[in-house]
Every structure is written in C-alpha cells, then in structure tokens.
C-alpha cells in the first residue's frame, strides 16, 4: 500500500513538473518576448504595472498548478498590506518564490537572485532581467557592484515603486531549519528602504528542496505559512534588529511544528479510540 501511495505521489509530482516546464517555455519565455517586451516599448510609463502584473501572473499560475496537479495545500495566517514593504522569508524549497510573491499584494517585489539563475535557465533568466533583479555571486571581488544594485533596489522600495523579498539565508536549507543570515546586503536594504518589515515563515516543503526532489515527492504536501509584522524599520543597531527578526522566525517555526505534532498526535489518538 505504501509503495502504491509513493508511486502515486511521484506521478503527481512529475505531472506538476512537466506542466510547470511547459508554462516556463511557452507562457513565460515566449510571452515575454512576444507580448511583454513590446508592451514595455509601447507603454514605458506603465512599466512598473506591466512587470507587476506579469510577475503576479507567474506566481498565481505556478501555485495553481502546484495545488491542482500536485495536490499542494497552502495554509496562510496573517497578511501583508498593499503597500511597499521589505519582506524576509526563510528558504526551504523551489516553491518559496512564487508563494512569497503571491503574498505581497502591493508593488512587485525585487528579489536579489543568485547569478546562476540569470544565465541560460529557460523562462527564469529572462524574467530575472525583465524584473531588474540584482544578481549576486556571493564572491568578494564582485561585492561593490552587487551592493550598488541592491542599494538601487532599496531606493526604489523607499520611493514606493517596489517592494523587496529577501531570502536572508542565501540558499535553500538542507534540513528545514533556519540558517544563519547573510547580513551585508540585508543591512543595506534596511538602512535605505525605511519601509515596514514583515517576515514570512514557511514550513512543509523542505523535502522539495531541488527540482529533482519536487519531481519525485512534492505531491500532497502542505505548505504552512505565518506572516509576522509589521516591524518598524530600524533607526539604529541594525544588526540587533536582524538578530531579533531571525529569533522571531525561528520561534515561529518551532511553534508551527509543535502545533502540527500536537494535531497529528490528537488525530492518531482519536483514530485509535
């Protein structure tokens, strides 16, 4: 029975992944070239609105495919208002970005992005350039140029043109826990953006950390999300502020897991009775 269930989950996961690949190649890659870029040339004054609508469509379609084909359940507590904000999110899986984008209803979020996603990744690389995401290598020799790009994004957030979505760990977790934060760029954003800060704590998909993981065991998973904030932007002691945010996120993740374990135990007891 377990082998049949595992095979069914793997099949659903693979169906979702194939559908998502088609979405990337046809809708995102071709749509950007044939529709979005011409629209941006025709209506340059509406560039922010066009980019926001395009990114949001991508997030809605991706999460809808995950729910409809992959059977993913998304449970959210809390909300972010329709304004320019700075959002920190823990990084567990390949679904974190569409989920994070979906939860930010105001100006579209700029996401500092690792350089490998800006090169030769169908659909994704062109999206990174279209949305003007800062590209980071996490190498010391490129730090000055990368910080300048992040500062520009923070200034756009300060003006209300954009929001920022930051995965402060810098990479997806291998064990589901919240790792140390990379502080240099985050400190710069908090100092310059001066916008309300929110935290998104997501759990339940860390076993779908990579594309291969998502293709073999993603189906039927539950992504539980808690939104914390708003927190006023720091006026001093930015590192202390970052420490406090990370501590809150860790505590919330622990509380979410404790509640889930208690619910599972209660359900098991009821079934046994």
């Amino acid at each position: 029975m377990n082998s049949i269930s595992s095979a069914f989950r793997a099949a659903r996961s693979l169906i979702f992944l194939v559908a998502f690949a088609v979405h990337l190649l046809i809708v995102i890659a071709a749509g950007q070239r044939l529709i979005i870029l011409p629209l941006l040339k025709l209506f340059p004054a509406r560039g922010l609105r066009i980019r926001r609508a395009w990114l949001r469509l991508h997030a809605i379609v991706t999460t809808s495919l995950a729910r409809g084909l992959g059977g993913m359940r998304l449970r959210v507590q809390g909300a972010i208002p329709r304004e320019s904000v700075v959002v920190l999110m823990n990084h567990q899986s390949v679904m974190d970005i569409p989920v994070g984008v979906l939860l930010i209803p105001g100006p579209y979020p700029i996401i500092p992005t690792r350089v490998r996603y800006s090169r030769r990744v169908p659909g994704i690389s062109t999206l990174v350039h279209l949305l003007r995401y800062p590209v980071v290598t996490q190498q010391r020799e490129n730090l000055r140029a990368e910080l300048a790009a992040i500062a520009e994004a923070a200034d756009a957030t300060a003006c209300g043109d954009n929001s920022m979505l930051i995965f402060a760990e810098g990479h997806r977790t291998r064990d589901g826990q919240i790792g140390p934060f990379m502080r240099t760029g985050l400190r710069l954003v908090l100092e310059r953006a001066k916008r309300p800060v929110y935290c998104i704590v997501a759990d339940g998909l860390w076993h779908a950390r990579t594309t291969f993981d998502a293709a073999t065991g993603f189906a039927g998973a539950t992504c539980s999300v808690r939104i914390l904030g708003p927190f006023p932007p720091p006026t001093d002691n930015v590192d202390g502020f970052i420490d406090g945010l990370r501590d809150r996120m860790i505590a919330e993740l622990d509380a979410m897991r404790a509640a889930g374990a208690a619910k599972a135990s209660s359900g098991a007891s009821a079934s046994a009775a």
Side-chain angles (χ1 to χ4, degrees), residues 144-206:
R144 179 175 295 181
E146 291 169 5
L147 287 179
I150 292 173
E152 183 178 349
D155 291 343
T157 302
C159 294
D161 290 339
N162 291 103
S163 294
M164 290 201 72
L165 174 58
I166 300 173
F167 296 94
E169 296 158 279
H171 53 78
R172 292 188 290 271
T173 178
R174 293 183 179 275
D175 59 6
Q177 302 297 327
I178 295 177
F181 282 2
M182 301 181 118
R183 292 173 177 259
T184 305
L186 177 57
R187 190 184 298 117
L188 181 63
V189 169
L190 293 171
E191 289 173 343
R192 297 180 75 110
K194 299 298 181 183
R195 287 285 178 172
V197 179
Y198 289 81
C199 298
I200 297 177
V201 182
D203 191 35
L205 297 181
W206 65 272

Side-chain angles (χ1 to χ4, degrees), residues 124-140:
I124 298 298
S125 297
T126 53
L127 190 65
V128 167
H129 294 292
L130 177 76
L131 298 172
R132 301 172 179 172
Y133 284 174
V135 174
V136 296
T137 61
Q138 298 175 336
Q139 295 175 357
R140 185 177 297 274

Side-chain angles (χ1 to χ4, degrees), residues 4 10 27 45 71 96 104 118 120 150 195 218 233 247 255 258 263 266:
I4 294 175
V27 179
D96 290 339
I104 301 174
S118 70
R120 297 184 296 277
I150 292 173
R195 287 285 178 172
F218 169 81
D247 289 345
K263 184 177 180 180
S266 176

Side-chain angles (χ1 to χ4, degrees), residues 63 67 72-76 99 102-103 221-225:
T63 53
R67 287 167 157 176
M72 183 191 81
R73 295 176 292 273
L74 180 61
R75 297 172 179 168
V76 181
V99 168
L102 192 69
L103 297 175
T222 297
C223 179
S224 298
V225 175

